[in-house]
Amino acid sequence: MSRFKRGAKLDSRAGFRTEKEEPAVPYGLLKTARKSGQLNLSGRGLVEVPQSVWRLNLDTPEEAKQNLSFGADDRWWDQTDLTKLLLSSNKLEVLSEDVNLLPALTVLDVHDNQLTSLPKSIGDLEHLQKLCLSHNKLKELPEELWSLKNLTCLQLQQNLLEELPEGVGQLTGLDDIDLSNNQLTAVPDSLGNLNRLVKLNLSHNKLRSLPLGISVMKNLRLLDCTHNQLEIIPPILSQMASLEQLYLRHNKLQFLPELPSSRLKELHVGNNLIEVLQAEHLKHLNTLSVLELRDNKVKILPEEITLLQGLERLDLVNNDISSLPASLALLPKLKILTLEGNPLRGIRRDLLTVIKMLLYLFCSEEDTDCKRDEPDTAMTLPSQAKVNVHAIKTLKTLDYSEKQVVCVPDDIFDAVGSEPVASVNFSKNQLQCCEDVIVELKGSVSDINLGFNKLTSCSLEVCMLHQLAIFLFLQRNNLLTSLPMEFKSLTKLQSITLSFNRFKLFPEVLYHVPTLETILISNNQVVAIDPLQLKALNKLSTLDLQNNDIMHVPPELGLCSSLRALMLDGNPFRSPRAAIVARGTDAVLEYLRSRIPT
């Protein structure tokens, strides 16, 4: 029996409505959820949560009404309490007060909906550990939320919150909270009570100041206040003993923050109003390895820059600097200096090369990273500032991720030039097609990451990547429904990731790429697989089919002897049972083989 008393403090008929027809949820999913304790209804276009979900652990299952004899496999009274409910990427505007009918929940994910408020009964979920509310339309939070003492993760980014109540300080168990992309004008001092936090994201709000209370957050390592309206940073923040990364881009700062006794390693203050770098500010930043000052109004780089003896990267792009101090060459660890967009009238391109060599010559002779035949210094010039040219030349890697661009600029390929790039990362952008990317890099690329974009189809140009031998990532946020048959020309491809797309059919072409070792196609809408064709992929060792719509697992899948990892959780099939799936790949394959007709 459930460890929660059925109906304790609950109306036995709570949650019933007769005036609306309930949205359909496959009964197989509900039956599986009673056994596994997990239910994934993400991306199903739901405008409301069916009452059968809220009452999952209260009502007698349908099969009990139709069948009066039960085997050991169908003992519905031994059901597991629902602990994980995923409702993301639907069209929910309201979350029912009946959510408290699932008191065992530890994970509730309703991100990417249209919620404007939360039910007060959410405070009854005393076992809740993770609550994902991001990408909704929340303007306020109920007071009851602060009673969730077991909560460790609270995601509130991408909402419309204008105020964060003092009650948030009661969630002392939190080690992860994201408040970015809201309308907050202030945050309470009580935030400092969350002393387990390692990262705090307050970016993209309307903050004019930071509360002094956060200075007591002894474990915080990263504080992101990008895109706010901050004019000054209180020096007391230097008491944050573990703070290593401070992001203050796109604010209204006129000076560097004065942080005495700071342990900062990275300070990002680009896109502010800084005109002068004062010596008294620099002397408190002598632990920095990264100083990013791009897009400010700095006119003079002072000699005191040499106080930053640990500096490895200095970004001065788009300022008003007309000359550089000779002492710049005395920074022993400086490896990356970016100067694009400055009126360097007194310094020619060839002198930039001299600076580069000086930086190299001042490397310690004991440092094994300093090699006389190839300086370990990356100097980026105007046409190269958007990418790490050093990585292109030495690691054969091109990383142009997280730029939110709809197409890759030509100067990125200019920076590559004739270098044979092997690894390419264009993930987390807004790319809708990839033809240009592939044509430019087709000669040498062995792995390419196009995940987290907006691709609706996979270009035939992908088939030109004849050297593609390791990974092809097309997961998350893309909208792919099929792959072209020309993919079979990728005769060296070992791994493909297609998770979180829109596939309803298993891509036929994958059966014809015999080199594949890994296929990850979870979180789609795949309804069936062909076991005989999969068996022909004799190198296939990992197959992830989790969270699809597979109603029947063919017994012949057990003949795929090369499989070492087969993941089937989150599908509505009835056989094999959840208990067998939980025992792992070998148990599942053995069970399937036993079901093959003789």
Side-chain angles (χ1 to χ4, degrees):
M1 288 291 289
S2 163
R3 66 180 183 279
F4 291 93
K5 294 181 180 179
R6 303 289 177 219
K9 295 184 180 180
L10 299 173
D11 179 357
S12 64
R13 303 305 296 167
F16 278 117
R17 292 177 188 158
T18 58
E19 66 273 14
K20 290 186 179 180
E21 183 178 345
E22 294 185 10
V25 172
Y27 182 72
L29 281 180
L30 298 178
K31 184 176 179 181
T32 300
R34 288 192 183 95
K35 296 181 180 180
S36 67
Q38 302 182 13
L39 180 58
N40 186 352
L41 297 177
S42 300
R44 292 182 174 270
L46 298 176
V47 295
E48 66 176 3
V49 180
Q51 295 306 308
S52 56
V53 173
W54 301 131
R55 300 185 59 83
L56 184 70
N57 295 136
L58 293 177
D59 291 342
T60 302
E62 189 65 29
E63 64 266 26
K65 301 175 183 178
Q66 299 176 357
N67 184 7
L68 298 179
S69 61
F70 304 97
D73 299 337
D74 293 309
R75 298 194 302 179
W76 55 266
W77 53 87
D78 284 340
Q79 63 182 328
T80 301
D81 290 297
L82 195 68
T83 59
K84 185 176 182 180
L85 178 57
L86 308 183
L87 296 167
S88 62
S89 301
N90 282 293
K91 300 177 182 179
L92 304 176
E93 296 183 4
V94 176
L95 200 59
S96 171
E97 292 284 352
D98 297 331
V99 67
N100 64 356
L101 298 180
L102 298 172
L105 281 181
T106 60
V107 176
L108 177 58
D109 186 349
V110 290
H111 84 268
D112 190 20
N113 278 283
Q114 300 174 30
L115 298 177
T116 57
S117 63
L118 295 176
K120 292 183 178 181
S121 62
I122 200 168
D124 296 334
L125 303 179
E126 59 182 26
H127 296 277
L128 200 62
Q129 298 175 19
K130 183 175 182 179
L131 180 57
C132 302
L133 299 167
S134 64
H135 294 81
N136 277 286
K137 299 179 180 180
L138 298 174
K139 292 186 177 181
E140 59 183 6
L141 300 170
E143 181 180 350
E144 290 76 9
L145 185 63
W146 316 129
S147 65
L148 299 176
K149 303 304 182 184
N150 289 307
L151 205 61
T152 61
C153 176
L154 179 58
Q155 297 179 356
L156 289 165
Q157 67 269 31
Q158 293 283 353
N159 277 286
L160 302 173
L161 298 174
E162 298 180 358
E163 180 183 4
L164 188 66
E166 287 280 348
V168 68
Q170 299 176 34
L171 301 179
T172 54
L174 281 181
D175 54 34
D176 182 10
I177 185 172
D178 193 334
L179 296 164
S180 62
N181 290 277
N182 278 284
Q183 304 293 321
L184 298 173
T185 56
V187 288
D189 273 318
S190 64
L191 205 60
N193 296 340
L194 310 183
N195 53 24
R196 294 182 59 182
L197 286 185
V198 174
K199 175 183 176 181
L200 178 57
N201 192 345
L202 297 170
S203 65
H204 293 269
N205 279 288
K206 298 180 179 180
L207 301 177
R208 296 184 179 275
S209 63
L210 293 176
L212 301 182
I214 68 173
S215 62
V216 300
M217 303 175 79
K218 302 301 183 183
N219 293 310
L220 198 69
R221 294 183 182 179
L222 186 152
L223 176 59
D224 190 347
C225 298
T226 301
H227 273 284
N228 278 283
Q229 300 176 23
L230 300 173
E231 297 182 2
I232 190 170
I233 304 301
I236 196 173
L237 290 195
S238 61
Q239 296 180 14
M240 302 173 77
S242 301
L243 190 63
E244 297 180 350
Q245 296 173 280
L246 181 56
Y247 289 82
L248 298 168
R249 295 175 180 143
H250 292 275
N251 279 284
K252 298 182 179 180
L253 301 176
Q254 296 184 29
F255 302 99
L256 288 177
E258 188 173 354
L259 300 175
S261 304
S262 169
R263 291 178 172 81
L264 270 185
K265 298 188 184 309
E266 296 186 20
L267 177 59
H268 300 263
V269 288
N271 295 91
N272 276 282
L273 305 173
I274 299 173
E275 294 185 10
V276 179
L277 302 180
Q278 297 181 345
E280 56 264 36
H281 293 166
L282 289 172
K283 70 181 181 182
H284 295 309
L285 299 172
N286 56 1
T287 58
L288 283 184
S289 59
V290 175
L291 177 56
E292 187 254 299
L293 277 160
R294 62 168 51 212
D295 294 284
N296 277 283
K297 299 181 179 181
V298 177
K299 294 180 174 61
I300 298 175
L301 192 63
E303 296 285 344
E304 288 82 3
I305 193 70
T306 56
L307 294 172
L308 309 184
Q309 286 292 292
L311 201 62
E312 298 181 8
R313 173 188 164 198
L314 178 58
D315 187 343
L316 298 168
V317 168
N318 294 334
N319 278 280
D320 295 327
I321 299 171
S322 57
S323 62
L324 298 175
S327 59
L328 192 62
L330 299 176
L331 292 175
K333 296 184 178 181
L334 190 62
K335 298 177 181 179
I336 299 176
L337 172 64
T338 52
L339 296 165
E340 180 193 28
N342 283 280
L344 293 169
R345 293 182 292 274
I347 185 165
R348 303 189 308 273
R349 177 180 287 263
D350 55 346
L351 291 182
L352 290 176
T353 304
V354 171
I355 291 176
K356 178 179 176 180
M357 292 305 299
L358 284 173
L359 293 173
Y360 162 64
L361 291 173
F362 274 95
C363 285
S364 169
E365 292 189 2
E366 286 96 35
D367 188 350
T368 58
D369 290 333
C370 292
K371 300 177 181 178
R372 297 294 176 181
D373 58 341
E374 184 177 7
D376 190 27
T377 301
M379 172 71 70
T380 62
L381 296 172
S383 65
Q384 306 168 334
K386 295 180 180 179
V387 291
N388 188 337
V389 178
H390 179 66
I392 293 175
K393 293 182 177 179
T394 60
L395 303 176
K396 310 304 179 187
T397 298
L398 171 59
D399 187 349
Y400 195 67
S401 60
E402 299 185 80
K403 307 297 184 185
Q404 299 302 310
V405 296
V406 295
C407 62
V408 180
D410 289 340
D411 55 351
I412 299 303
F413 300 115
D414 293 340
V416 173
S418 59
E419 294 293 334
V421 173
S423 178
V424 175
N425 185 1
F426 288 126
S427 66
K428 297 184 180 179
N429 282 291
Q430 301 290 324
L431 303 180
Q432 297 180 6
C433 60
C434 54
E435 290 88 343
D436 295 339
V437 171
I438 292 163
V439 170
E440 291 287 344
L441 302 170
K442 63 181 181 180
S444 58
V445 171
S446 62
D447 70 86
I448 184 167
N449 189 344
L450 292 167
F452 293 84
N453 278 286
K454 301 293 183 183
L455 301 177
T456 56
S457 62
C458 198
S459 167
L460 293 178
E461 278 77 7
V462 172
C463 307
M464 301 168 62
L465 299 174
H466 298 300
Q467 300 303 315
L468 198 63
I470 307 176
F471 302 111
L472 176 60
F473 298 91
L474 294 166
Q475 80 277 25
R476 288 269 187 182
N477 283 30
N478 287 312
L479 305 170
L480 299 177
T481 58
S482 63
L483 296 178
M485 284 302 294
E486 287 78 2
F487 251 60
K488 60 186 178 183
S489 65
L490 301 178
T491 55
K492 298 181 180 180
L493 186 62
Q494 297 175 20
S495 176
I496 186 166
T497 302
L498 300 168
S499 303
F500 293 90
N501 275 282
R502 302 284 180 83
F503 289 95
K504 293 185 177 180
L505 299 175
F506 189 93
E508 177 71 18
V509 66
L510 296 186
Y511 296 128
H512 303 283
V513 185
T515 53
L516 278 173
E517 299 175 5
T518 300
I519 299 175
L520 308 181
I521 192 169
S522 66
N523 293 276
N524 281 277
Q525 300 167 35
V526 175
V527 296
I529 50 175
D530 187 332
L532 298 182
Q533 294 202 73
L534 281 173
K535 183 177 181 293
L537 300 178
N538 54 23
K539 294 185 178 181
L540 186 64
S541 61
T542 300
L543 177 60
D544 186 354
L545 293 164
Q546 295 180 97
N547 298 323
N548 277 285
D549 291 333
I550 298 174
M551 296 291 293
H552 172 66
V553 181
E556 292 79 6
L557 186 61
L559 299 176
C560 296
S561 57
S562 62
L563 281 178
R564 296 292 176 266
L566 173 62
M567 288 153 276
L568 295 169
D569 294 314
N571 283 281
F573 54 76
R574 303 176 65 178
S575 177
R577 304 185 311 276
I580 294 176
V581 173
R583 286 165 53 192
T585 300
D586 290 341
V588 171
L589 295 179
E590 181 181 357
Y591 172 83
L592 292 174
R593 286 194 293 270
S594 71
R595 307 288 288 184
I596 297 176
T598 56

